[in-house]
Amino acid sequence: MGRVVVEVMPKPEILDPQGKAVVGALPRLGFTQFTGVRQGKRFELEVDGEVTPEILEQARKAAEEVLSNPIIEDIVAVTDASADAGTAPVAQRAGLA
């Protein structure tokens, strides 16, 4: 089974209230090294079989038409997650899961 990851972020000129709330909370929790936060979306699309260039193109089309709002969001990545073990969730990579 293959997996495609689509990452979507707000366009730079769009206000990100969730990111603003998080960046305001971090110093209160002792994380003073972070000066900005932008919150985006991550979609994991599973496919039968291998991820081919055609599958990636269809995932990009789905991202453009369904998974993102092109007026306020940018598609920042469409990747074959099954080919890269480095795309495991951060908690898993950090040994937290």
Side-chain angles (χ1 to χ4, degrees):
M1 180 179 317
R3 187 167 36 122
V4 176
V5 172
V6 176
E7 297 177 13
V8 177
M9 292 294 293
K11 289 183 182 272
E13 63 273 13
I14 299 296
L15 179 65
D16 180 4
Q18 290 175 307
K20 191 172 183 105
V22 171
V23 80
L26 287 172
R28 293 191 302 270
L29 299 170
F31 299 100
T32 57
Q33 63 273 46
F34 304 110
T35 59
V37 174
R38 302 278 296 162
Q39 182 171 327
K41 300 184 285 190
R42 173 186 166 108
F43 298 91
E44 294 186 6
L45 308 171
E46 292 184 1
V47 298
D48 290 329
E50 293 184 29
V51 176
T52 63
E54 293 79 19
I55 295 286
L56 287 173
E57 182 56 36
Q58 287 298 306
R60 178 164 289 287
K61 188 173 181 181
E64 292 169 353
E65 295 181 13
V66 179
L67 305 178
S68 70
N69 179 341
I71 296 171
I72 62 169
E73 295 174 318
D74 288 326
I75 300 160
V76 295
V78 177
T79 58
D80 178 356
S82 56
D84 183 8
T87 59
V90 172
Q92 186 177 356
R93 287 194 315 257
L96 301 174

